[in-house]
Amino acid sequence: MINDLKAGPPPIHGHYDHCVIGAGAAGISLALALAAAKKRVILLEGGDRDFTSESQQLYEGDVTGLDTHALDVPRLRYLGGTTGHWTGRVLHRDAADFVPRDDISLSGWPIREQALVPYQSDAAELLGTTRIRRSRRQADDTGTIDIVTQHFSSSDAIFDLNKDEPRRFGAHFARALQDAADIDTLINANFVGFDVDGATGRMISAQVVGYDDARYTISADNFIMAMGGIENTRALLHLNDEYDNRFGNQGDMVGRCFMDHPRLPLGSYFITQRLFSPLPYFGVERLVRRSPKQMVLSPNPNYARRNGFLNGGVWLNFPRRRPLSDDTLDSAPFLRGLTFDHDYFFTGEGLLFAEQAPNPDSRLTLSDNKDRFGLRQAALDWQLLPIDVETMRRVSLEAAEFLIRNGIGRMQIDPSLWQGATSSDIPMMSSSHHMGGTRMSETSQTGVVDTDCRVHGAQNLYVASGAVFPTSGLANPTYTIVQLALRLADHLVAKPA
Amino acid sequence: MDRVEYTSMNRKSGVTRRQMVYLALGLCAAVPAGYVTSLAVNDAMIPRVATPDLVFVDGWVLDSHDNIATSVALDE
């Protein structure tokens, strides 16, 4: 049942097994999985069924580091969360992302890819895509470049990239939440803090406030924060302010190692249809028609590791068929030196996405400004390291060289990458992939949550979002976020009461 | 094409097993008819350069043996 706090005091049904705070991709996936195991769940959502300004304003905050979006722009605060405007890109996380490397501190995950494999199929179904066992295949015999297949979330079984929308969790799962006997969903219910048993470190209840400032108490066995990368971190910073850094902040790690995927338009590319396949239909032609996939040129992770840079890829976005006409040859004279077997080729815009290394100085803190409920807003200081810039440069050049080496085409890159610029000189942007801040770790000295996503030092407090990612890798985060949420559901179901 | 991709295409496009058989038979007929000639001419496409000598011209990463006269973005 979905209940609206604006309609009056909610029908709270006593004590719950699990209180899930935040109804985005992670929170809804988690609540549905827990209810399927016959657990009694309350799902709290601060926003309404659809966008409202009064809710969205609560996402405002400060940006003090590298230029990025204002904090209330990329995220959405209503039922379904940021899936309300995501582009639906689904990418398999590389196995290599989980493995630590000697040359980068805080690299690797304390779990391996195998820990998430059992959840891939269900995660894919929740996202409206097909299960992806692997995304990479070697592109030539040098082993330097892989072709990575980008999949898409779909609101429908028949997907048309030009017309279809990715799955909007709020709209798509509203009926399931309404009908779920074991889930009480509360909308317009703003989480503002926990009541804590100081002796045991156990969360007893969550405090919830409506827009009329009426306050309610929700008691449960376990509490799962699923409010997104920034809000989960912000909530933990508030909790540690009140309780002397005993919840995940013993090593001063809450808020640190915030990561995004630096994104940079590279300019034009042209390719022949030799890329992807010698068969026209299965090659680039298929992309030009309609396809639930995009192709990415990505240095092989082992090659990148041997050569001292991180994961990254060049997206060959939306190739269009162009005639090999005099006009074309005039605009790109280097084409005159090349021999084509067709009177057409394909062109589009290249887009670089890159991993950034974990960096304790890239961090979220609390601002001095407060929201309408008196809680300090988030302040983001996003920073890059030299290896992040080197990764952007190497990934671009390796992709360009691959096209030349294999007689496939040519591409542009941003001049700053060729010139060896520093991060402040590169016109890169944020991808609004908020990762890190409550990173997963073996100990509280290097992170905030353990391998079960339980906050270090807390008995019954968990985090479900990209905030737990120890590294960013290349993959768009949502597929991994949902896998982690389903894995957490299994842990909570198996946990003794 | 691996099994996952095949299954995915099958499900999303609604192609039936019978239609796939017809498609296979059609391809068998197309090869001797010379329809799939593009397979044979792939090696005549733009030349491969085993060890490119990269140069940077108007944003383009080119090989030094390319015609590196001034170029502009193809979409302009």
Side-chain angles (χ1 to χ4, degrees), chain A residues 158 274 320 334 349 407 410, chain B residues 12 42 46 59 66-67 75:
Chain A
I158 306 295
R274 178 185 290 182
R320 296 178 297 282
F334 63 85
E349 301 296 317
R410 302 287 186 269
Chain B
K12 287 182 181 285
N42 269 328
I46 60 176
D66 288 342
N67 179 355
D75 279 348

Side-chain angles (χ1 to χ4, degrees), chain A residues 4-5 8 23 68 71 100 110 122-123 173 178 182 212 225 240 242 276 304 311 329 345 355-356 363 389 469 485 492:
Chain A
D4 188 348
L5 217 52
T68 183
L71 299 188
D122 287 347
F173 292 108
Q178 182 69 32
D182 290 320
D212 60 357
M225 298 192 295
N240 280 291
E242 198 173 343
F276 314 137
N311 211 336
L329 293 172
F345 62 101
E355 179 178 15
Q356 81 164 104
R363 66 186 298 198
V389 177
F469 289 9
L492 292 169

Side-chain angles (χ1 to χ4, degrees), chain A residues 138-186:
Chain A
Q138 191 170 318
D140 65 14
D141 57 7
T142 66
T144 57
I145 287 285
D146 295 333
I147 290 180
V148 172
T149 307
Q150 168 89 75
H151 291 243
F152 281 86
S153 161
S154 168
S155 61
D156 202 348
I158 306 295
F159 186 74
D160 184 341
L161 197 58
N162 298 315
K163 297 176 186 169
D164 203 4
E165 282 210 330
R167 183 158 287 180
R168 312 293 183 204
F169 269 54
H172 189 85
F173 292 108
R175 171 58 62 185
L177 293 174
Q178 182 69 32
D179 293 345
D182 290 320
I183 305 176
D184 283 342
T185 302
L186 266 187

Side-chain angles (χ1 to χ4, degrees), chain A residues 368-447:
Chain A
D368 290 333
N369 300 319
K370 294 184 177 178
D371 68 19
R372 64 177 284 169
F373 299 117
L375 296 173
R376 292 167 69 189
Q377 295 176 337
L380 173 59
D381 182 4
W382 181 37
Q383 296 294 340
L384 295 180
L385 294 169
I387 191 174
D388 305 324
V389 177
E390 176 65 5
T391 297
M392 287 189 266
R393 191 180 74 83
R394 285 297 298 271
V395 169
S396 306
L397 286 173
E398 294 287 351
E401 188 170 338
F402 165 80
L403 294 179
I404 298 172
R405 199 169 55 234
N406 290 280
I408 289 171
R410 302 287 186 269
M411 60 179 261
Q412 290 186 307
I413 68 171
D414 190 87
S416 63
L417 296 174
W418 182 269
Q419 292 155 2
T422 60
S423 65
S424 56
D425 301 326
I426 296 176
M428 54 92 189
M429 301 175 285
S430 154
S431 299
S432 301
H433 296 165
H434 302 146
M435 299 168 284
T438 69
R439 68 195 312 267
M440 183 190 290
S441 65
E442 295 281 6
T443 75
S444 61
Q445 294 308 302
T446 53

Side-chain angles (χ1 to χ4, degrees), chain A residues 131 133-134 158 274 278 293 320 322 331-334 338-339 341 349 404-405 407 410-413 418, chain B residues 2 4-5 11-12 41-42 45-50 56 58-61 66-67 70-72 74-75:
Chain A
R131 180 181 178 187
R133 287 191 180 84
R134 63 181 177 85
I158 306 295
R274 178 185 290 182
K293 297 170 185 171
R320 296 178 297 282
R322 293 279 301 272
S331 66
F334 63 85
L338 307 175
T339 306
D341 66 332
E349 301 296 317
I404 298 172
R405 199 169 55 234
R410 302 287 186 269
M411 60 179 261
Q412 290 186 307
I413 68 171
W418 182 269
Chain B
D2 64 34
V4 176
E5 196 172 349
R11 184 172 73 80
K12 287 182 181 285
V41 297
N42 269 328
M45 284 180 158
I46 60 176
R48 299 169 188 263
V49 184
F56 191 66
D58 295 328
W60 291 94
V61 179
D66 288 342
N67 179 355
T70 304
S71 307
V72 296
L74 285 168
D75 279 348

